[in-house]
Amino acid sequence: MFNLTKEELEKNKGIKTATEIHQQPAVWKELVSTLFHSKDSSKEFIESIYTRHEQVRVIFTGAGTSAFVGDTLVPELRKQNNKQHVLFEAIPTTDIVSNPNEYLFKEVPTILVSFARSGNSPESVAAVSMGQELINDFYQVVITCNKDGQLAKNSKNDEKSLVVLTPEKAHDQGFAMTSSFTSMILTAYSLFTVNAFTGNNATQLIANAERVVDSVTGPIDEILNFDFDRIVYLGSGALGQLSHEAALKMLELSAGQVVAIHESSLGFRHGPKSILNEKLVVVLFMSQDPYTRKYDMDILRELAADESGMKVVALTEKEDEEVESLADWTLHVNHSKKDVSSDFYLALLYVIFAQTLALKKSIQLGITPDNPSPDGRVNRVVQGVTIYK
């Protein structure tokens, strides 16, 4: 996998993370099949809440990567939304738990959609308890990779709760969330989208993902020949939200040795551009939307003209001569004849690049990707959190 033998990955303690990145297309196939067979009952649960109330808040929540699932998903669902009385929001559990009265409103019917790999994070469990305590009409959807986690257990026999499990393989055993992230975001999308995630859309996405996991290594190995110790991920809209997850993957798997930040394509000029130097890589997630793409192209041209010595990587849907002439490395992720219909689908392909780059940079630095913090400073399931009444 990724030009590394099984023996090399085991020696560098990266076999779990590498497998979990590489397996994503196969996990998505299994997920699509599972969701297809349960879609009627799941949709019925959600639609019944919509029809019961004049207004409904849908809050996507989680901590860390689980929070970024909602951040990336909400722009697409807001764009699709044809039910004006339904409001989609993304609020991290870490914000809800520390400031519940700022986010949970007694008189507003609310569906709290919890994303959780383990389902045991104290903030995730507490956010649900606070919602039940503070909101009159409270419902929850738990999307988790662990059927034995506390969130799933607490929701059993609750008629106001729906638990949706991802495939078992999505329950990542490595430190960083990879296949769990993409599986949970696809699960939520299938539940709340007005466009059915089956048939051609799913087939095209999975086929492109298979090509990406098999082709991404060559360009990444070239990028790793450049000695960088800082990286910036840029994007617009949903891809700007995805850049937060991409930056976190590098920060986690490099154990902080690579400074990783994220920003929107337009926002980068407003201060964060100060980070430019000869040890920097800028990764630009380019939109497929013609209007939004204009702003991505502008920052790409600006970066290409910069004389700091940094390098630019552009991820784009299809081959583009101008992009290739401006960026130091260009990767296109759509290998089918059909156009990708939204940036949401591009996000699922782009994140594979970010995951793989973080994995290989971690190994290059002599860090163990499956457990990049062996001293216990950070943990796979967060520790040290006190929940106050």
Side-chain angles (χ1 to χ4, degrees), residues 24-33 35-36 43 60 69-70 72-73 77 115 143 164-167 170 178-193 195-198 201-203 205-206 209 342 344-349 351-352:
Q24 286 174 105
V27 172
W28 300 352
K29 281 184 182 178
E30 182 180 346
L31 177 65
V32 169
S33 176
L35 292 173
F36 177 78
K43 287 279 191 179
F60 294 108
V69 172
T72 306
L73 185 59
L77 294 180
F115 297 109
I143 298 176
V164 184
L165 298 173
T166 65
T178 54
S179 58
S180 55
F181 172 80
T182 56
S183 295
M184 289 194 293
I185 199 171
L186 279 174
T187 300
Y189 180 74
S190 71
L191 292 178
F192 291 95
T193 182
N195 304 318
F197 180 62
T198 54
N201 284 335
T203 300
L205 175 67
I206 293 168
S342 73
F344 172 74
Y345 288 118
L346 285 183
L348 289 157
L349 301 172
V351 77
I352 294 173

Side-chain angles (χ1 to χ4, degrees), residues 115-131:
F115 297 109
R117 175 173 62 175
S118 71
N120 293 318
S121 294
E123 300 99 330
S124 296
V125 176
V128 172
S129 296
M130 290 176 178

Side-chain angles (χ1 to χ4, degrees), residues 43-337:
K43 287 279 191 179
E44 182 179 335
F45 174 83
I46 295 167
E47 289 293 335
S48 68
I49 300 170
Y50 289 168
T51 57
R52 197 175 302 154
H53 303 286
E54 292 183 0
Q55 183 183 10
V56 178
R57 289 177 82 200
V58 180
I59 300 176
F60 294 108
T61 194
T65 291
S66 294
F68 306 151
V69 172
D71 289 339
T72 306
L73 185 59
V74 161
E76 175 65 17
L77 294 180
R78 283 179 175 168
K79 183 174 66 175
Q80 291 183 14
N81 187 19
N82 57 6
K83 293 181 174 63
Q84 298 305 314
H85 70 298
V86 178
L87 174 64
F88 292 103
E89 300 177 68
I91 307 172
T93 55
T94 46
D95 288 349
I96 293 173
V97 169
S98 60
N99 297 274
N101 292 316
E102 293 183 10
Y103 299 107
L104 304 178
F105 308 131
K106 182 178 181 179
E107 303 297 335
V108 182
T110 300
I111 304 173
L112 189 73
V113 184
S114 298
F115 297 109
R117 175 173 62 175
S118 71
N120 293 318
S121 294
E123 300 99 330
S124 296
V125 176
V128 172
S129 296
M130 290 176 178
Q132 292 170 329
E133 179 182 348
L134 297 176
I135 300 171
N136 288 342
D137 295 296
F138 178 80
Y139 310 89
Q140 64 167 326
V141 175
V142 176
I143 298 176
T144 181
C145 307
N146 182 14
K147 68 181 186 303
D148 298 318
Q150 199 63 47
L151 272 181
K153 287 181 178 179
N154 290 352
S155 302
K156 285 183 178 179
N157 303 317
D158 181 358
E159 63 181 15
K160 290 189 173 184
S161 297
L162 172 69
V163 178
V164 184
L165 298 173
T166 65
E168 182 62 32
K169 286 184 178 180
H171 189 192
D172 298 326
Q173 297 306 300
F175 174 84
M177 291 176 63
T178 54
S179 58
S180 55
F181 172 80
T182 56
S183 295
M184 289 194 293
I185 199 171
L186 279 174
T187 300
Y189 180 74
S190 71
L191 292 178
F192 291 95
T193 182
V194 299
N195 304 318
F197 180 62
T198 54
N200 291 338
N201 284 335
T203 300
Q204 180 192 20
L205 175 67
I206 293 168
N208 278 325
E210 289 171 341
R211 290 287 296 271
V212 171
V213 295
D214 289 336
S215 63
V216 73
T217 309
I220 283 177
D221 285 346
E222 291 181 16
I223 295 166
L224 289 173
N225 288 328
F226 175 64
D227 183 24
F228 66 93
D229 61 11
R230 53 178 67 183
I231 191 167
V232 177
Y233 280 96
L234 302 178
S236 301
L239 297 176
Q241 299 299 328
L242 178 74
S243 69
H244 201 165
E245 167 61 10
L248 179 62
K249 284 288 95 56
M250 181 61 76
L251 191 65
E252 287 179 323
L253 292 183
S254 72
Q257 290 191 34
V258 177
V259 176
I261 70 170
H262 71 283
E263 189 50 85
S264 67
S265 296
L266 277 174
F268 187 55
R269 296 183 183 92
H270 293 263
K273 194 179 173 186
S274 304
I275 198 173
L276 295 183
N277 74 1
E278 74 283 355
K279 301 278 281 185
L280 171 73
V281 169
V282 179
V283 180
L284 177 59
F285 293 148
M286 302 196 68
S287 174
Q288 51 74 49
D289 180 87
Y291 177 80
T292 305
R293 190 179 177 85
K294 291 178 181 179
Y295 295 99
D296 296 335
M297 287 300 302
D298 282 350
I299 194 65
L300 177 58
R301 294 186 188 101
E302 189 171 316
L303 291 168
D306 189 87
E307 297 182 354
S308 65
M310 56 82 188
K311 300 293 184 182
V312 181
V313 183
L315 274 70
T316 187
E317 179 193 355
K318 292 186 175 181
E319 293 179 331
D320 185 306
E321 289 185 3
E322 184 179 7
V323 172
E324 292 177 11
S325 70
L326 294 168
D328 296 285
W329 296 278
T330 304
L331 290 84
H332 71 279
V333 297
N334 183 11
H335 299 274
S336 67
K337 294 180 180 179

